[in-house]
Amino acid sequence: MYKILVSDKLSEKGLNILKENKEFKVDVKTGLKPEELKSIIAGYDALLVRSSTKVTKEIIDASSLKVIGRAGVGLDNVDLEAATNKGIIVMNSPSGNTISTAEHTMSLMLSMSRNIAVADKSMKSGEWNRSKFTGVELYNKTLGIVGLGRIGQAVAKRAMSFGMKVIAYDPFISKEAAEKLGIELVELNKLFSDSDYITFHIPLTEETKDLISAKQIPLLKKGVRIINCARGGIVNEEDLAKAVEEGKISGVALDVYVKEPPKDLALAKFDNVVLTPHLGASTEEAQVNVAVEIVEQVRDALLGLEIRNAANFPSVDTQTYKTLQPMFNLAEKMGQLMGQLAEGRINGVDVIYSGEISKFDTTALTMSVMKGLLTPVLKDTVNFINAISLAKERSIKVREEKSSESEDFTSLIILKVKTEKDKYLVAGTLLTKKDPRIVKINGFYVEAIPQGNMLIIYNLDKAGIIGNLGTLLGKYNINIAGMTFGRLNKGGEAITVLNIDSAPSKELLDKIKKLKYIEEVRAIKL
Ligand code: NAD
Ligand code: MLT
């Protein structure tokens, strides 16, 4: 019998699926303090959570869990690395709350445009004030959608039915895919300058943090209205408050915050700001959907039937997984590296397996490559299972090739990516059959450890470069843990790959770029 702990409130309809099955014993214990959870976790095979329970390394280390299931999308509350290191499968249910979040976005747009929340408050205080609450129509307005994934597309459909013109920015969706939806893809600055409403449906990443802050506000149309139902921090709360104060922005609607619950939110004082406490997925239907979805996934994983929507495990049988485990790791890291290296919309991906590895069924390795490649973009919504179909939806052609010959390595994976801007290549192998190494980046042979923070620097092969780099990184207190070089010919084009102990700031990257003989620098986080 499998013991399952449910530590956040989950819909009964989902829980009944487990309770009615004799293979499972389900304990529902919500509101546990971290130390209480830690003290009881050891006896359980699976843990089911929403977003309140923080599944930290401490909890994971104290457990002998086989599966952690998150009802919903965000895995911000689960230490994925600690779970992976302990061999625990972590799964989420990314699609059950799409409609609810899209509808919430529309509710916020309407509420903000027609002053619903403030008018309601005014009436309830005994007032009858019609002129104060004159609003604006959505009809004929331009809606700029940043992120045309599940929720972005659902919002687009609904907005079009209101007669809005929809434009979108999503560097990972093809023009054809957007056109099929009747949406024009534009560059971000054009979206900023042309939109009457801007809504965000993207994950929070280094790249999407503060996507609208003081720097971008001058680019916005005067009177724009901004909605964020995705993740706190994509828009800068303080900078938006200033722009609302100055009249540049006519309305803001937020469902998510940098800190939840937020403290001393400057935006809260304005009548033209609508705030909800992270309610996007809080509908009866979405809660049933995500609970049923996750419960069925956890049930099937525990019973050894199938692993779906796993954030950290490919779906293969246990024996193949054990044999190929270090290769999975290498493949995912290569994908992640490529995802941060390649610029522009991806059109095609070729994965070439040569040497010993070509004898195996490599489908799951390609899934790992694709998961790695799309993770910088899709974060928690991409997993081993859906990576290839998500690529297809984005019109990315994925091709596998095999060759039993591998001149210098026992096994070699070559990853080639074609974007609208350029072509890129990363090749990787295992040293002593377990330590991943990147052995080629574009035309350059290297020997780099794909791990942690890295700098990939394109430079000319001239004396003094290493000294200059070392001095500059030293000034910023950044320790170099590893270094490798590659050059095409003496004195010509070269590459320098550094493993560093902490992330470089933007200021440092700008300074590196200005060093003599340096042509380009890319910060990579694996
Ligand atoms: P999704 O993965 O289906 O779509 C995300 C889209 O963002 C993708 O198409 C991707 O290509 C695009 N993208 C990534 N980086 C981008 C960038 N820098 N610029 C432009 N586009 C970029 O995800 P989804 O299911 O639509 O969810 C979107 C967001 O909504 C997620 O952050 C999710 O956590 C959040 N969410 C919030 C709630 C809520 O309660 N408020 C509920 C569900 C989901
Ligand atoms: C999600 O990540 O699924 C949403 O933000 C809602 C939730 O936290 O449940």
Side-chain angles (χ1 to χ4, degrees), residues 61-131:
D61 287 345
S63 79
S64 49
L65 290 167
K66 297 182 177 66
V67 186
I68 298 169
R70 153 75 156 111
V73 184
L75 287 168
D76 330 46
N77 55 322
V78 180
D79 189 329
L80 203 57
E81 199 179 329
T84 308
N85 289 342
K86 267 209 101 178
I88 302 169
I89 301 169
V90 178
M91 34 179 65
N92 64 354
S93 45
S95 53
N97 54 30
T98 300
I99 302 290
S100 289
T101 311
E103 287 187 1
H104 194 65
T105 306
M106 294 308 293
S107 316
L108 290 178
M109 277 168 71
L110 288 165
S111 172
M112 175 168 54
S113 305
R114 302 305 297 271
N115 301 302
I116 306 287
V118 269
D120 173 77
K121 197 168 154 206
S122 142
M123 272 209 66
K124 286 177 180 162
S125 70
E127 287 175 9
W128 178 259
N129 197 336
R130 297 183 64 206
S131 57

Side-chain angles (χ1 to χ4, degrees), residues 330-385:
L330 169 69
E332 192 181 353
K333 296 275 191 224
M334 285 175 60
Q336 277 181 24
L337 175 60
M338 182 62 94
Q340 295 167 74
L341 201 62
E343 280 183 355
R345 230 174 276 287
I346 299 176
N347 295 325
V349 177
D350 286 350
V351 195
I352 302 151
Y353 299 96
S354 52
E356 258 179 28
I357 188 67
S358 66
K359 292 186 206 135
F360 289 86
D361 177 354
T362 48
T363 319
L365 282 174
T366 304
M367 288 175 174
S368 305
V369 169
M370 291 311 294
K371 175 182 183 275
L373 187 64
L374 295 177
T375 293
V377 177
L378 298 178
K379 263 197 112 189
D380 298 334
T381 58
V382 58
N383 55 55
F384 289 100
I385 320 301

Side-chain angles (χ1 to χ4, degrees), residues 50-51 70-74 97 231 278 281:
R50 239 191 101 186
S51 54
R70 153 75 156 111
V73 184
N97 54 30
R231 279 291 178 264
H278 204 144

Side-chain angles (χ1 to χ4, degrees), residues 20-307:
E20 283 158 10
N21 189 324
K22 289 199 176 68
E23 300 267 9
F24 303 109
K25 173 164 183 334
V26 182
D27 291 335
V28 180
K29 294 183 181 176
T30 55
L32 293 173
K33 295 202 176 78
E35 56 281 12
E36 288 172 331
L37 177 57
K38 191 179 159 193
S39 70
I40 61 164
I41 194 71
Y44 290 97
D45 299 293
L47 174 65
L48 281 174
V49 301
R50 239 191 101 186
S51 54
S52 303
T53 303
K54 306 293 171 234
V55 194
T56 58
K57 183 172 186 312
E58 269 206 297
I59 308 264
I60 287 169
D61 287 345
S63 79
S64 49
L65 290 167
K66 297 182 177 66
V67 186
I68 298 169
R70 153 75 156 111
V73 184
L75 287 168
D76 330 46
N77 55 322
V78 180
D79 189 329
L80 203 57
E81 199 179 329
T84 308
N85 289 342
K86 267 209 101 178
I88 302 169
I89 301 169
V90 178
M91 34 179 65
N92 64 354
S93 45
S95 53
N97 54 30
T98 300
I99 302 290
S100 289
T101 311
E103 287 187 1
H104 194 65
T105 306
M106 294 308 293
S107 316
L108 290 178
M109 277 168 71
L110 288 165
S111 172
M112 175 168 54
S113 305
R114 302 305 297 271
N115 301 302
I116 306 287
V118 269
D120 173 77
K121 197 168 154 206
S122 142
M123 272 209 66
K124 286 177 180 162
S125 70
E127 287 175 9
W128 178 259
N129 197 336
R130 297 183 64 206
S131 57
K132 190 176 166 193
F133 299 122
T134 304
V136 288
E137 290 181 348
L138 298 187
Y139 179 67
N140 257 344
K141 300 291 186 318
T142 299
L143 170 66
I145 300 183
V146 183
L148 207 49
R150 291 186 192 87
I151 299 171
Q153 291 185 23
V155 169
K157 275 190 204 146
R158 283 152 184 78
M160 284 193 250
S161 75
F162 273 79
M164 297 187 91
K165 177 184 176 208
V166 178
I167 57 175
Y169 170 71
D170 188 326
F172 312 100
I173 286 270
S174 72
K175 282 208 167 65
E176 299 79 62
E179 268 161 22
K180 269 190 207 149
L181 299 162
I183 299 165
E184 187 196 348
L185 277 187
V186 295
E187 286 307 315
L188 189 58
N189 283 354
K190 177 144 177 70
L191 182 142
F192 284 161
S193 63
D194 289 7
S195 301
D196 302 296
Y197 291 78
I198 300 176
T199 182
F200 293 90
H201 301 289
I202 49 179
L204 176 68
T205 62
E206 279 302 311
E207 205 188 313
T208 62
K209 186 172 178 288
D210 283 342
L211 212 52
I212 292 201
S213 64
K215 199 170 148 205
Q216 294 79 20
I217 285 169
L219 307 176
L220 305 176
K221 200 177 203 180
K222 186 165 177 357
V224 63
R225 291 177 167 81
I226 290 170
I227 307 104
N228 184 12
C229 266
R231 279 291 178 264
I234 291 172
V235 294
N236 184 297
E237 291 161 358
E238 274 85 45
D239 294 353
L240 284 193
K242 271 191 212 130
V244 171
E245 182 106 63
E246 288 160 6
K248 168 88 185 190
I249 293 179
S250 290
V252 173
L254 300 184
D255 184 47
V256 287
Y257 306 87
V258 173
K259 203 168 172 291
E260 295 187 2
K263 245 186 111 197
D264 305 323
L265 196 65
L267 282 162
K269 65 175 185 239
F270 302 106
D271 276 357
N272 51 350
V273 170
V274 183
L275 306 173
T276 51
H278 204 144
L279 295 183
S282 296
T283 61
E284 288 169 17
E285 293 84 352
Q287 286 319 304
V288 170
N289 290 346
V290 292
V292 169
E293 212 175 323
I294 198 66
V295 158
E296 289 179 344
Q297 287 174 201
V298 167
R299 174 198 64 194
D300 291 353
L302 284 177
L303 296 178
L305 299 175
E306 194 190 357
I307 298 169

